C-alpha cells in the first residue's frame, strides 16, 4: 500500500496479507492511496488508485510535523546526496586521508579492508538541530523519527530530546536515549541523533528526520447539584488528571423554569476543579439545580 500524488513518488506505508487493513492519518485532508497485488512468485501487479477525503482523528491535535532539511549542527558528520553520513572524519583533506593512513592509492585502502572512502570511521558523531515552535506549549507529545540506513558495519544510534522555555540556546532540560516523550511548558526543542561506531568500518546514512508535536485530548464529565447558597459558586472537581483544560460545558437538567448556567475557571497547568453557578434566566437570581457538565483537555 502506497500514499502519494503519483505512484512514482508515492511512499510505501505497509503491506497486508489479507483483504482489509486500517490506516490512521494525523491530520485531515485529501489523500491519494495506491494498492498493488503481489503474487506467490513476487511479481507486482498494476497499482490501483483512490483519492479520498480523510477526516481529522478525534481528540487529537497535531501542533507541528517537521521534516529536517539537515541545516543544523553536524559533528563528525557530513551532508551526502540523500542525507547525513556519520561518524566520519571531515577534518582531513583528500591528501591527508591517504597520508594519515599510509596509503598511496585508493586500491591500497581497499586492500586494507576499507572499501568505502569515508572509512576508517570515527568512534562517534552526531547531528543536532533546534526547533522553535513560536509560542509556549503547555503540554505536548514529542516524537522524533529518524530514518537510519546502515551502510556498513554495526553502528548504533541514540536520540536525545531537550526542551527549553527560555531561549534557543537554553538552558536545556535533556532527555537522553528517548525518541518519544511528553513535555510540558516549552517553546524550543533540541533534537540530537548520535551514532556510535564499535569499529572503523561502521557507517550510517540518516536519510530523513521527522519531529512531530501532538497531543491527545481526553473527556471528563458528570452530574452535580449546584447550590445557590455556595459562596463563590459550587466547586466541581475533575475526575481526570488534566494538565490543561480546553473547554467546559454546563447543561441544566430537569428545571421547570428557564435557568442559565455559568462557570468560573482559572486556566493554568494541572487544574483540579472549576466553580459553577445557576441563575434564573428572568430575574437573574441564583438558584439551586442539577447540571450535567463536560470538560475536554489533555
Amino acid at each position: 500500500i502506497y500514499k502519494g500524488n503519483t505512484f512514482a513518488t508515492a511512499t510505501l506505508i505497509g503491506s497486508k496479507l489479507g483483504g482489509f487493513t486500517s490506516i490512521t492519518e494525523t491530520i485531515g485532508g485529501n489523500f491519494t492511496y495506491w494498492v498493488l497485488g503481489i503474487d506467490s512468485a513476487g511479481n507486482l501487479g498494476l497499482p490501483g488508485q483512490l483519492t479520498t477525503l480523510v477526516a481529522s482523528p478525534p481528540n487529537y491535535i497535531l501542533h507541528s510535523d517537521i521534516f529536517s532539511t539537515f541545516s543544523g549542527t553536524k559533528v563528525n558528520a557530513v551532508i551526502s546526496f540523500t542525507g547525513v553520513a556519520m561518524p566520519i572524519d571531515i577534518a582531513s583533506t583528500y591528501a591527508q586521508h591517504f597520508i594519515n593512513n599510509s596509503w598511496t592509492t585508493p586500491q591500497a585502502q581497499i586492500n586494507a579492508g576499507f572499501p568505502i572512502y569515508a572509512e576508517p570511521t570515527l568512534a562517534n558523531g552526531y547531528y543536532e538541530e533546534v526547533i522553535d515552535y513560536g509560542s509556549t506549549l503547555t503540554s505536548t507529545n514529542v516524537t522524533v523519527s529518524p530514518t537510519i540506513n546502515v551502510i556498513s558495519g554495526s553502528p548504533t544510534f541514540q536520540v536525545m530530546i531537550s526542551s527549553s522555555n527560555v531561549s534557543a540556546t537554553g538552558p536545556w532540560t535533556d532527555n537522553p536515549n528517548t525518541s518519544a516523550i511528553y513535555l510540558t511548558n516549552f517553546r524550543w526543542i533540541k533534537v540530537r541523533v548520535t551514532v556510535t561506531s564499535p569499529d572503523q568500518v561502521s557507517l550510517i546514512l540518516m536519510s530523513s528526520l521527522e519531529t512531530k508535536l501532538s497531543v491527545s485530548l481526553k473527556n471528563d464529565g458528570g452530574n452535580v447539584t449546584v447550590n445557590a447558597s455556595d459562596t463563590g459558586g459550587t466547586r466541581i472537581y475533575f475526575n481526570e488528571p488534566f494538565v490543561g483544560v480546553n473547554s467546559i460545558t454546563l447543561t441544566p437538567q430537569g428545571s421547570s423554569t428557564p435557568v442559565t448556567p455559568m462557570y468560573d475557571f482559572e486556566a493554568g497547568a494541572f487544574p483540579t476543579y472549576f466553580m459553577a453557578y445557576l441563575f434564573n434566566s428572568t430575574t437573574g437570581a441564583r438558584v439551586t439545580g442539577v447540571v450535567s457538565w463536560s470538560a475536554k483537555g489533555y
Side-chain angles (χ1 to χ4, degrees):
I1 303 173
Y2 293 78
K3 183 176 75 173
N5 292 330
T6 66
F7 183 69
T9 60
T11 301
L12 177 68
I13 59 175
S15 59
K16 185 69 177 179
L17 299 177
F20 176 81
T21 192
S22 61
I23 299 167
T24 301
E25 300 289 356
T26 57
I27 57 175
N30 285 295
F31 296 97
T32 299
Y33 300 94
W34 302 80
V35 178
L36 67 159
I38 305 175
D39 65 18
S40 58
N43 299 308
L44 302 180
L46 295 175
Q49 173 190 359
L50 174 66
T51 299
T52 185
L53 176 64
V54 179
S56 298
N59 297 331
Y60 179 86
I61 298 175
L62 179 64
H63 290 300
S64 182
D65 191 7
I66 301 167
F67 286 87
S68 176
T69 59
F70 296 129
S71 58
T73 301
K74 292 170 279 292
V75 174
N76 296 336
V78 67
I79 293 287
S80 73
F81 291 106
T82 55
V84 177
M86 52 187 167
I88 62 176
D89 177 11
I90 61 172
S92 298
T93 65
Y94 181 85
Q96 290 170 338
H97 171 74
F98 289 95
I99 294 172
N100 294 342
N101 292 284
S102 301
W103 298 325
T104 57
T105 64
Q107 186 60 51
Q109 175 179 343
I110 296 173
N111 295 340
F114 301 102
I116 300 174
Y117 171 76
E119 298 169 339
T121 55
L122 301 181
N124 52 66
Y126 68 83
Y127 172 78
E128 177 181 282
E129 68 179 37
V130 174
I131 298 171
D132 180 3
Y133 183 71
S135 61
T136 298
L137 290 169
T138 305
S139 61
T140 300
N141 294 305
V142 179
T143 305
V144 177
S145 303
T147 300
I148 301 293
N149 304 295
V150 176
I151 303 302
S152 62
S154 303
T156 59
F157 75 94
Q158 290 186 353
V159 175
M160 181 169 70
I161 302 173
S162 306
S163 63
S164 175
N165 203 27
V166 179
S167 75
T169 58
W172 299 100
T173 299
D174 295 331
N175 301 280
N177 197 23
T178 182
S179 58
I181 192 170
Y182 187 71
L183 297 178
T184 59
N185 297 321
F186 71 96
R187 171 175 168 174
W188 293 270
I189 59 173
K190 181 172 65 175
V191 176
R192 176 182 289 194
V193 180
T194 301
V195 176
T196 301
S197 174
D199 48 45
Q200 292 184 303
V201 296
S202 292
L203 179 67
I204 69 101
L205 178 69
M206 181 167 63
S207 57
S208 70
L209 179 63
E210 179 185 14
T211 303
K212 185 179 297 184
L213 283 67
S214 64
V215 62
S216 297
L217 299 180
K218 53 186 176 182
N219 299 308
D220 194 7
N223 293 317
V224 68
T225 299
V226 175
N227 294 304
S229 60
D230 289 338
T231 302
T234 300
R235 181 172 293 195
I236 300 177
Y237 288 93
F238 297 118
N239 303 306
E240 293 285 344
F242 286 116
V243 174
V245 170
N246 288 0
S247 64
I248 298 173
T249 303
L250 300 178
T251 304
Q253 301 292 315
S255 176
S256 59
T257 59
V259 294
T260 301
M262 296 184 66
Y263 68 87
D264 183 14
F265 174 65
E266 294 185 6
F270 305 102
T272 58
Y273 68 90
F274 65 95
M275 310 300 290
Y277 312 82
L278 273 179
F279 296 92
N280 184 294
S281 299
T282 303
T283 66
R286 286 185 63 185
V287 296
T288 297
V290 177
V291 300
S292 65
W293 62 273
S294 63
K296 179 173 289 188
Y298 45 90

